[in-house]
């Protein structure tokens, strides 16, 4: 099966973190520090798929199935408590910071509603996650600063997924499969800010 469609993504992410500096040095105008932290990251992503054009290359005589409007939706929630190691260097008006976070206790919940086939799949998965961060900040004049941040996030999880047919001749049938989920994300931000 091969398909093409339009998609819209709605996403939000929330995070809380505590970090303590366990090593610190301030020789002259160069400061460096290393710390350990713990935090919690929650992410909610929803894709809505519309205007589906699906066909079967191995059976071209079957033609195309077209669905105008919404044809599927996919939602995934990621819950990640983590530990983190952080290092920071500050020299005059510039600072650099990098962190590595990991968890073996990551949870993923996903819901795949394939409206074309009238099948809904609900997964409850466990796995691990990594996150790497790097940030740079330059203190300008008059309390202004320029900053940049890069973040890379990797998730691997697996577990059972319950599939249920909710329409047509097979309505009410259900079965369970083993699901594997992988996700890699990266984010780069640039900012000009003011310190009060």
């Amino acid at each position: 099966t091969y398909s093409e469609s339009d998609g819209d993504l709605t996403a939000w992410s929330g995070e809380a973190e505590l970090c303590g500096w366990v090593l610190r040095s301030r020789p002259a105008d160069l400061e460096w520090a290393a710390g350990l932290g713990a935090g919690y990251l929650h992410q909610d992503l929803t894709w809505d798929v519309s205007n589906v054009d699906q066909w079967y290359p191995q059976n071209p005589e079957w033609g195309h199935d077209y669905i105008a409007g919404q044809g599927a939706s996919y939602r995934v929630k990621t819950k990640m408590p983590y530990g983190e190691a952080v290092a920071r260097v500050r020299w005059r008006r510039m600072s650099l910071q990098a962190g590595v976070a990991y968890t073996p206790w990551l949870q993923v919940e996903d819901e795949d509603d394939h409206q074309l086939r009238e099948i809904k799949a609900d997964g409850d998965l466990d796995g691990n996650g990594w996150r790497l961060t790097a940030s740079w900040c330059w203190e300008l004049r008059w309390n202004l600063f320029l900053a940049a941040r890069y973040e890379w996030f990797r998730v691997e999880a697996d577990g059972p997924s319950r599939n249920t047919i909710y329409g047509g001749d097979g309505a009410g049938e259900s079965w369970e499969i083993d699901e594997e989920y992988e996700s890699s994300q990266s984010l780069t931000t640039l900012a000009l800010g003011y310190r009060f």
Side-chain angles (χ1 to χ4, degrees), residues 123-144:
D124 187 8
L125 317 176
D126 297 307
N128 61 75
W130 286 91
R131 191 183 67 170
L132 306 176
T133 58
S135 59
W136 168 86
C137 184
W138 182 266
E139 302 287 343
L140 305 172
R141 296 182 180 183
W142 309 297
N143 291 341
L144 293 172

Side-chain angles (χ1 to χ4, degrees), residues 56-70:
Y56 311 88
Q58 71 278 18
N59 299 102
E61 69 276 7
W62 292 0
H64 288 239
D65 294 323
Y66 297 100
I67 293 186
Q70 185 165 323

Side-chain angles (χ1 to χ4, degrees), residues 19-168:
C19 181
W21 300 104
V22 294
L23 297 173
R24 183 173 279 180
S25 175
R26 293 183 182 170
D29 57 358
L30 177 68
E31 175 188 343
W32 62 267
L36 297 173
Y40 179 80
L41 174 69
H42 186 99
Q43 204 176 62
D44 196 329
L45 310 175
T46 302
W47 290 266
D48 291 317
V49 178
S50 58
N51 304 322
V52 177
D53 177 7
Q54 181 169 288
W55 65 96
Y56 311 88
Q58 71 278 18
N59 299 102
E61 69 276 7
W62 292 0
H64 288 239
D65 294 323
Y66 297 100
I67 293 186
Q70 185 165 323
S73 65
Y74 181 68
R75 182 175 187 181
V76 60
K77 292 182 183 179
T78 303
K79 303 170 184 178
M80 178 179 171
Y82 61 84
E84 184 174 33
V86 183
R88 181 179 67 197
V89 175
R90 186 188 307 268
W91 180 68
R92 296 185 181 173
R93 293 185 295 156
M94 183 181 70
S95 63
L96 298 169
Q97 183 168 311
V100 178
Y102 174 74
T103 183
W105 303 295
L106 181 126
Q107 291 182 311
V108 173
E109 298 172 5
D110 70 345
E111 178 186 279
D112 186 356
D113 185 356
H114 198 304
Q115 295 157 9
L116 179 61
R117 295 182 176 172
E118 298 181 311
I119 298 174
K120 183 180 283 190
D122 293 295
D124 187 8
L125 317 176
D126 297 307
N128 61 75
W130 286 91
R131 191 183 67 170
L132 306 176
T133 58
S135 59
W136 168 86
C137 184
W138 182 266
E139 302 287 343
L140 305 172
R141 296 182 180 183
W142 309 297
N143 291 341
L144 293 172
F145 66 89
L146 183 64
R149 178 179 169 90
Y150 175 78
E151 181 175 327
W152 177 82
F153 180 42
R154 171 78 177 165
V155 171
E156 295 179 357
D158 56 33
S161 176
R162 170 65 60 180
N163 291 251
T164 304
I165 299 175
Y166 59 83

